[in-house]
Amino acid sequence: MSAALYKVIHIVAVIYVFTAIGGLMVHAIDRGTANSGRKLAGMTHGLALLVVLITGFGLMAKLQTGMALWIWLKVGLWIAVGASIAAIRRLPGQARLLWLLLPLLGGIGAYLAIYKPSP
């Protein structure tokens, strides 16, 4: 698979992750019922996170970059975004704050991928 295809799949998976997070936050803000799509959003979140991880490491191998600092930081962001689903469920009162903060993690990830900062 080409590096460009890895990038496209990676970006599409990130979009799915944040779509699922948005759905879960709306569910928390509206105090939705168990049948209001929460299960679909949770499954989408988990599957898309897996695809993000696989394509990220596949791209890293394809480009032979090694584990640079910016990659470690992106792994940390991946963990934080993965844990966000628990924060949304356990702290539904904070969903509005998370609505503002979680997209910033995506922006930080984009910054790291584009500029690849290193010490």
Side-chain angles (χ1 to χ4, degrees), residues 25-33 36 92-93 96:
M25 285 192 285
V26 167
H27 173 73
I29 290 168
D30 290 343
R31 293 175 176 78
T33 64
S36 64
R96 292 178 196 275

Side-chain angles (χ1 to χ4, degrees), residues 8 17-19 21 29 31 38-39 44 46 51 53 66-67 74 92 100 102 107 110-111 115 118:
V8 169
V17 167
F18 281 96
T19 298
I21 288 172
I29 290 168
R31 293 175 176 78
R38 188 181 77 195
K39 186 174 182 178
T44 301
V51 173
L53 185 69
M67 287 299 288
K74 285 194 67 154
L100 298 173
L102 285 173
Y111 173 86
Y115 293 105
S118 58

Side-chain angles (χ1 to χ4, degrees), residues 3-114:
L5 185 55
Y6 272 114
K7 286 181 185 180
V8 169
I9 295 169
H10 188 76
I11 291 168
V12 169
V14 169
I15 292 167
Y16 271 105
V17 167
F18 281 96
T19 298
I21 288 172
L24 290 168
M25 285 192 285
V26 167
H27 173 73
I29 290 168
D30 290 343
R31 293 175 176 78
T33 64
N35 295 327
S36 64
R38 188 181 77 195
K39 186 174 182 178
L40 175 63
M43 290 187 308
T44 301
H45 182 262
L47 182 60
L49 273 175
L50 180 62
V51 173
V52 167
L53 185 69
I54 291 169
T55 57
F57 278 105
L59 185 58
M60 185 183 77
K62 193 75 161 172
L63 300 177
Q64 299 176 346
T65 59
M67 287 299 288
L69 173 64
W70 68 273
I71 293 175
W72 283 109
L73 293 172
K74 285 194 67 154
V75 169
L77 288 173
W78 181 84
I79 292 168
V81 170
S84 69
I85 194 170
I88 293 166
R89 285 187 185 168
R90 295 180 202 280
L91 304 168
Q94 299 299 317
R96 292 178 196 275
L97 177 62
L98 293 171
W99 184 271
L100 298 173
L101 296 179
L102 285 173
L104 295 177
L105 295 180
I108 293 168
Y111 173 86
L112 292 171
I114 293 168

